[in-house]
Amino acid sequence: MSKLWKGRTSAKTSVLADEFNSSIKIDKRMYKEDIEGSMAHVAMLSHCNIILKSDAKKITDGLSKILKDIESGKLKIDDKAEDIHMFVEEVLTKRIGAVGKKLHTARSRNDQVALDIRLNLRKEITLINFTIDKLISLIIDIADKNRDTIMSGFTHLQKAQPITFAHYLLAYGMMFKRDMERLYDLYKRVNISPIGACALAGTTYKTDRVYEARLLDMDGVCENSIDAVSDRDFIVEFASDLSIISMHLSRLAEEMIIFTSAEFNYIELSDAVTTGSSIMPQKKNSDMAELVRGKTGRVYGNLMNILTLLKGLPLAYNKDMQEDKELIFDSIDTVKNCINIFIEMLSTMKINKERMREDASAGFINATDLADYLVTKGMAFRDAYKISGEIVSYCLKNKRDGDNYCNKSDGVVQKITLENLPIEEYKKFSKLFDKDVYKFIDLETCVNRRTSLGGASPKNIDRQISFLKK
Ligand code: ARG
């Protein structure tokens, strides 16, 4: 391809320099936005009588033909071109002749590339939000079916208090809702038009930037032409928003890995999203979840990369900025893939309700409720807390062999839990204990009684689901 910027220099660049300079392999992804942007530009030039209506028509027809031909595969994007902007303009001029050269009036590649990336990212924001929306709907669906699936909630990865699987999963629903909100908010800053800022200082032609922005369905124009071509804040923001999504996904991924281990066995993933080992026949590995966790590093890396490439960059455009697209596109593709694999993973997983319930029973997760029981009988919480702790310690130290307490570690001995500790034993710790304690510390009761706003109770599950549905 020839060099449209030949003039000041001979444009006799070395092969190595051409390859090093070229961004077409990355920015060809914006061919549609580049052509749509050019069409709006031509329409504005004609509207403002900067070019003839008849010329504008030729250019527009030529551009729509190029778009059609790229989409049908008839026109291959030449990977030797410098970038997508040069490629489209050169094909246009080759096809329609000298009139094609009028397209680049009152614009520069600096505002053109800034426009293309904004048009492309606004589309990606919508697509990602659509995918997150699907994920949230799935979470609501699973939560709805697991309102009474009792499990242990954890702190420090130690069993803490009884919750339901619905409550647990809806926590992720909240995170993903915030992720969507962040992207909606970002959209406002992305959908502002830089075109017409030209190289950096605006133009002497009587252009109408507002008209052009409206044609592109944008919500406003960048007010300062220098800022218009230098601003990449929205890319940093997008990379950051995607990093937060990745962080959320990696937390869920980590729990999927833990919950699918034989030790937990809370969840079983479908064979469609797990792998075997090449040597250990018994293995079923949660590779997809591990990859989602791992790819978070790549997404964070892209954010750091973009921030670093912009650091200390003088105004206005610098070629360094060409690097931004590869990074943000990589984050976009990675996060989209991660969400989609998660949708497949969650929609096909088997939830081992009984196992979760059984595991919840053995961990003294109702010890707080035991203390609360004494509080309802008039004891101060701190005193009640101490007694409950002593009872737990007593249970852990002793085992039962039939009706007898023992300290044997072998034979058929039964673990003592708060649920099966006889009432006479309870009474030794406090006279306030009565038989109603068993109902009080029953795990279902514990969940149902957590009615404080946002707590684990079924009513709160309803509330959370309708909050997410909004
Ligand atoms: N390929 C370039 C980029 O992505 C387009 C802008 C080039 N502008 C320039 N003044 N060389 O940044």
PDB file of all heavy atoms in Angstrom, residues 125 129 178-191 237 241:
ATOM      1  N   ILE A 125     -19.492  -2.137  25.265  1.00  0.00           N
ATOM      2  CA  ILE A 125     -20.103  -1.945  26.593  1.00  0.00           C
ATOM      3  C   ILE A 125     -21.503  -2.553  26.593  1.00  0.00           C
ATOM      4  O   ILE A 125     -21.884  -3.292  27.506  1.00  0.00           O
ATOM      5  CB  ILE A 125     -20.167  -0.440  26.954  1.00  0.00           C
ATOM      6  CG1 ILE A 125     -18.764   0.079  27.255  1.00  0.00           C
ATOM      7  CG2 ILE A 125     -21.102  -0.187  28.141  1.00  0.00           C
ATOM      8  CD1 ILE A 125     -18.682   1.581  27.478  1.00  0.00           C
ATOM      9  N   ASN A 129     -22.659  -5.737  28.836  1.00  0.00           N
ATOM     10  CA  ASN A 129     -23.788  -5.606  29.768  1.00  0.00           C
ATOM     11  C   ASN A 129     -24.886  -6.626  29.475  1.00  0.00           C
ATOM     12  O   ASN A 129     -25.521  -7.150  30.379  1.00  0.00           O
ATOM     13  CB  ASN A 129     -24.346  -4.182  29.741  1.00  0.00           C
ATOM     14  CG  ASN A 129     -23.787  -3.364  30.897  1.00  0.00           C
ATOM     15  OD1 ASN A 129     -23.180  -3.918  31.804  1.00  0.00           O
ATOM     16  ND2 ASN A 129     -23.995  -2.080  30.870  1.00  0.00           N
ATOM     17  N   ARG A 178     -23.588  -4.182  40.192  1.00  0.00           N
ATOM     18  CA  ARG A 178     -22.735  -2.979  40.270  1.00  0.00           C
ATOM     19  C   ARG A 178     -21.833  -2.884  39.044  1.00  0.00           C
ATOM     20  O   ARG A 178     -21.573  -1.794  38.538  1.00  0.00           O
ATOM     21  CB  ARG A 178     -21.884  -3.018  41.547  1.00  0.00           C
ATOM     22  CG  ARG A 178     -22.649  -2.797  42.822  1.00  0.00           C
ATOM     23  CD  ARG A 178     -21.704  -2.468  43.972  1.00  0.00           C
ATOM     24  NE  ARG A 178     -20.797  -3.563  44.320  1.00  0.00           N
ATOM     25  CZ  ARG A 178     -21.122  -4.585  45.125  1.00  0.00           C
ATOM     26  NH1 ARG A 178     -22.332  -4.657  45.660  1.00  0.00           N
ATOM     27  NH2 ARG A 178     -20.234  -5.511  45.411  1.00  0.00           N
ATOM     28  N   ASP A 179     -21.370  -4.043  38.560  1.00  0.00           N
ATOM     29  CA  ASP A 179     -20.518  -4.030  37.362  1.00  0.00           C
ATOM     30  C   ASP A 179     -21.272  -3.435  36.179  1.00  0.00           C
ATOM     31  O   ASP A 179     -20.724  -2.664  35.400  1.00  0.00           O
ATOM     32  CB  ASP A 179     -20.057  -5.459  37.023  1.00  0.00           C
ATOM     33  CG  ASP A 179     -19.071  -6.001  38.047  1.00  0.00           C
ATOM     34  OD1 ASP A 179     -18.387  -5.177  38.691  1.00  0.00           O
ATOM     35  OD2 ASP A 179     -19.001  -7.231  38.211  1.00  0.00           O
ATOM     36  N   MET A 180     -22.537  -3.812  36.072  1.00  0.00           N
ATOM     37  CA  MET A 180     -23.358  -3.277  34.976  1.00  0.00           C
ATOM     38  C   MET A 180     -23.542  -1.775  35.127  1.00  0.00           C
ATOM     39  O   MET A 180     -23.442  -1.022  34.159  1.00  0.00           O
ATOM     40  CB  MET A 180     -24.740  -3.942  34.969  1.00  0.00           C
ATOM     41  CG  MET A 180     -24.769  -5.295  34.316  1.00  0.00           C
ATOM     42  SD  MET A 180     -26.451  -5.966  34.266  1.00  0.00           S
ATOM     43  CE  MET A 180     -27.070  -5.196  32.782  1.00  0.00           C
ATOM     44  N   GLU A 181     -23.806  -1.364  36.367  1.00  0.00           N
ATOM     45  CA  GLU A 181     -24.018   0.069  36.614  1.00  0.00           C
ATOM     46  C   GLU A 181     -22.778   0.876  36.252  1.00  0.00           C
ATOM     47  O   GLU A 181     -22.864   1.953  35.665  1.00  0.00           O
ATOM     48  CB  GLU A 181     -24.370   0.305  38.087  1.00  0.00           C
ATOM     49  CG  GLU A 181     -25.789  -0.113  38.418  1.00  0.00           C
ATOM     50  CD  GLU A 181     -26.052  -0.170  39.917  1.00  0.00           C
ATOM     51  OE1 GLU A 181     -25.135   0.095  40.715  1.00  0.00           O
ATOM     52  OE2 GLU A 181     -27.190  -0.501  40.279  1.00  0.00           O
ATOM     53  N   ARG A 182     -21.607   0.321  36.610  1.00  0.00           N
ATOM     54  CA  ARG A 182     -20.351   1.013  36.279  1.00  0.00           C
ATOM     55  C   ARG A 182     -20.227   1.182  34.769  1.00  0.00           C
ATOM     56  O   ARG A 182     -19.830   2.240  34.278  1.00  0.00           O
ATOM     57  CB  ARG A 182     -19.165   0.195  36.809  1.00  0.00           C
ATOM     58  CG  ARG A 182     -18.563   0.733  38.097  1.00  0.00           C
ATOM     59  CD  ARG A 182     -17.307  -0.033  38.466  1.00  0.00           C
ATOM     60  NE  ARG A 182     -17.612  -1.354  38.942  1.00  0.00           N
ATOM     61  CZ  ARG A 182     -17.962  -1.639  40.191  1.00  0.00           C
ATOM     62  NH1 ARG A 182     -17.992  -0.685  41.093  1.00  0.00           N
ATOM     63  NH2 ARG A 182     -18.258  -2.860  40.553  1.00  0.00           N
ATOM     64  N   LEU A 183     -20.595   0.140  34.037  1.00  0.00           N
ATOM     65  CA  LEU A 183     -20.465   0.223  32.584  1.00  0.00           C
ATOM     66  C   LEU A 183     -21.478   1.207  31.989  1.00  0.00           C
ATOM     67  O   LEU A 183     -21.163   1.939  31.053  1.00  0.00           O
ATOM     68  CB  LEU A 183     -20.612  -1.161  31.951  1.00  0.00           C
ATOM     69  CG  LEU A 183     -19.442  -2.124  32.223  1.00  0.00           C
ATOM     70  CD1 LEU A 183     -19.704  -3.493  31.607  1.00  0.00           C
ATOM     71  CD2 LEU A 183     -18.128  -1.571  31.688  1.00  0.00           C
ATOM     72  N   TYR A 184     -22.684   1.216  32.547  1.00  0.00           N
ATOM     73  CA  TYR A 184     -23.680   2.191  32.077  1.00  0.00           C
ATOM     74  C   TYR A 184     -23.161   3.609  32.283  1.00  0.00           C
ATOM     75  O   TYR A 184     -23.317   4.482  31.433  1.00  0.00           O
ATOM     76  CB  TYR A 184     -25.007   2.043  32.842  1.00  0.00           C
ATOM     77  CG  TYR A 184     -25.919   0.990  32.262  1.00  0.00           C
ATOM     78  CD1 TYR A 184     -26.438  -0.036  33.053  1.00  0.00           C
ATOM     79  CD2 TYR A 184     -26.285   1.021  30.918  1.00  0.00           C
ATOM     80  CE1 TYR A 184     -27.264  -1.015  32.532  1.00  0.00           C
ATOM     81  CE2 TYR A 184     -27.109   0.044  30.384  1.00  0.00           C
ATOM     82  CZ  TYR A 184     -27.598  -0.966  31.195  1.00  0.00           C
ATOM     83  OH  TYR A 184     -28.403  -1.920  30.669  1.00  0.00           O
ATOM     84  N   ASP A 185     -22.546   3.809  33.428  1.00  0.00           N
ATOM     85  CA  ASP A 185     -22.032   5.136  33.746  1.00  0.00           C
ATOM     86  C   ASP A 185     -20.895   5.524  32.798  1.00  0.00           C
ATOM     87  O   ASP A 185     -20.810   6.651  32.330  1.00  0.00           O
ATOM     88  CB  ASP A 185     -21.553   5.151  35.202  1.00  0.00           C
ATOM     89  CG  ASP A 185     -21.352   6.559  35.693  1.00  0.00           C
ATOM     90  OD1 ASP A 185     -22.365   7.281  35.767  1.00  0.00           O
ATOM     91  OD2 ASP A 185     -20.203   6.945  35.951  1.00  0.00           O
ATOM     92  N   LEU A 186     -20.052   4.547  32.518  1.00  0.00           N
ATOM     93  CA  LEU A 186     -18.927   4.783  31.605  1.00  0.00           C
ATOM     94  C   LEU A 186     -19.432   5.160  30.208  1.00  0.00           C
ATOM     95  O   LEU A 186     -18.840   6.004  29.529  1.00  0.00           O
ATOM     96  CB  LEU A 186     -18.059   3.511  31.546  1.00  0.00           C
ATOM     97  CG  LEU A 186     -16.997   3.434  30.457  1.00  0.00           C
ATOM     98  CD1 LEU A 186     -15.944   4.525  30.656  1.00  0.00           C
ATOM     99  CD2 LEU A 186     -16.322   2.065  30.443  1.00  0.00           C
ATOM    100  N   TYR A 187     -20.514   4.533  29.805  1.00  0.00           N
ATOM    101  CA  TYR A 187     -21.077   4.769  28.469  1.00  0.00           C
ATOM    102  C   TYR A 187     -21.251   6.264  28.204  1.00  0.00           C
ATOM    103  O   TYR A 187     -20.973   6.755  27.119  1.00  0.00           O
ATOM    104  CB  TYR A 187     -22.421   4.032  28.354  1.00  0.00           C
ATOM    105  CG  TYR A 187     -22.973   3.983  26.949  1.00  0.00           C
ATOM    106  CD1 TYR A 187     -22.759   2.870  26.140  1.00  0.00           C
ATOM    107  CD2 TYR A 187     -23.711   5.031  26.415  1.00  0.00           C
ATOM    108  CE1 TYR A 187     -23.264   2.810  24.848  1.00  0.00           C
ATOM    109  CE2 TYR A 187     -24.217   4.986  25.122  1.00  0.00           C
ATOM    110  CZ  TYR A 187     -23.988   3.865  24.350  1.00  0.00           C
ATOM    111  OH  TYR A 187     -24.474   3.815  23.065  1.00  0.00           O
ATOM    112  N   LYS A 188     -21.689   6.976  29.250  1.00  0.00           N
ATOM    113  CA  LYS A 188     -21.924   8.428  29.102  1.00  0.00           C
ATOM    114  C   LYS A 188     -20.649   9.156  28.674  1.00  0.00           C
ATOM    115  O   LYS A 188     -20.691  10.097  27.909  1.00  0.00           O
ATOM    116  CB  LYS A 188     -22.370   9.027  30.456  1.00  0.00           C
ATOM    117  CG  LYS A 188     -23.729   8.591  30.911  1.00  0.00           C
ATOM    118  CD  LYS A 188     -24.150   9.374  32.151  1.00  0.00           C
ATOM    119  CE  LYS A 188     -23.358   8.951  33.343  1.00  0.00           C
ATOM    120  NZ  LYS A 188     -23.904   9.298  34.662  1.00  0.00           N
ATOM    121  N   ARG A 189     -19.529   8.735  29.202  1.00  0.00           N
ATOM    122  CA  ARG A 189     -18.261   9.413  28.880  1.00  0.00           C
ATOM    123  C   ARG A 189     -17.652   8.913  27.574  1.00  0.00           C
ATOM    124  O   ARG A 189     -16.889   9.636  26.921  1.00  0.00           O
ATOM    125  CB  ARG A 189     -17.269   9.247  30.032  1.00  0.00           C
ATOM    126  CG  ARG A 189     -17.587  10.123  31.222  1.00  0.00           C
ATOM    127  CD  ARG A 189     -16.640   9.913  32.372  1.00  0.00           C
ATOM    128  NE  ARG A 189     -16.791   8.634  33.029  1.00  0.00           N
ATOM    129  CZ  ARG A 189     -17.798   8.309  33.849  1.00  0.00           C
ATOM    130  NH1 ARG A 189     -18.747   9.195  34.094  1.00  0.00           N
ATOM    131  NH2 ARG A 189     -17.877   7.126  34.396  1.00  0.00           N
ATOM    132  N   VAL A 190     -18.022   7.688  27.197  1.00  0.00           N
ATOM    133  CA  VAL A 190     -17.502   7.147  25.934  1.00  0.00           C
ATOM    134  C   VAL A 190     -18.238   7.764  24.740  1.00  0.00           C
ATOM    135  O   VAL A 190     -17.632   8.096  23.721  1.00  0.00           O
ATOM    136  CB  VAL A 190     -17.655   5.600  25.905  1.00  0.00           C
ATOM    137  CG1 VAL A 190     -17.359   5.041  24.522  1.00  0.00           C
ATOM    138  CG2 VAL A 190     -16.730   4.962  26.932  1.00  0.00           C
ATOM    139  N   ASN A 191     -19.528   7.965  24.925  1.00  0.00           N
ATOM    140  CA  ASN A 191     -20.360   8.371  23.784  1.00  0.00           C
ATOM    141  C   ASN A 191     -20.333   9.885  23.536  1.00  0.00           C
ATOM    142  O   ASN A 191     -21.364  10.515  23.360  1.00  0.00           O
ATOM    143  CB  ASN A 191     -21.787   7.864  24.000  1.00  0.00           C
ATOM    144  CG  ASN A 191     -22.534   7.738  22.687  1.00  0.00           C
ATOM    145  OD1 ASN A 191     -21.915   7.494  21.638  1.00  0.00           O
ATOM    146  ND2 ASN A 191     -23.842   7.938  22.725  1.00  0.00           N
ATOM    147  N   GLU A 237     -10.743   3.636  32.234  1.00  0.00           N
ATOM    148  CA  GLU A 237     -11.939   3.301  33.028  1.00  0.00           C
ATOM    149  C   GLU A 237     -12.508   1.949  32.631  1.00  0.00           C
ATOM    150  O   GLU A 237     -12.886   1.143  33.485  1.00  0.00           O
ATOM    151  CB  GLU A 237     -13.037   4.349  32.775  1.00  0.00           C
ATOM    152  CG  GLU A 237     -13.047   5.496  33.741  1.00  0.00           C
ATOM    153  CD  GLU A 237     -14.317   6.321  33.577  1.00  0.00           C
ATOM    154  OE1 GLU A 237     -15.412   5.842  33.939  1.00  0.00           O
ATOM    155  OE2 GLU A 237     -14.216   7.448  33.056  1.00  0.00           O
ATOM    156  N   ASP A 241     -12.994  -1.167  34.922  1.00  0.00           N
ATOM    157  CA  ASP A 241     -14.292  -1.826  35.129  1.00  0.00           C
ATOM    158  C   ASP A 241     -14.202  -3.320  34.796  1.00  0.00           C
ATOM    159  O   ASP A 241     -14.766  -4.164  35.502  1.00  0.00           O
ATOM    160  CB  ASP A 241     -15.375  -1.177  34.249  1.00  0.00           C
ATOM    161  CG  ASP A 241     -15.665   0.254  34.684  1.00  0.00           C
ATOM    162  OD1 ASP A 241     -15.151   0.678  35.735  1.00  0.00           O
ATOM    163  OD2 ASP A 241     -16.411   0.953  33.970  1.00  0.00           O
TER     164      ASP A 241
END
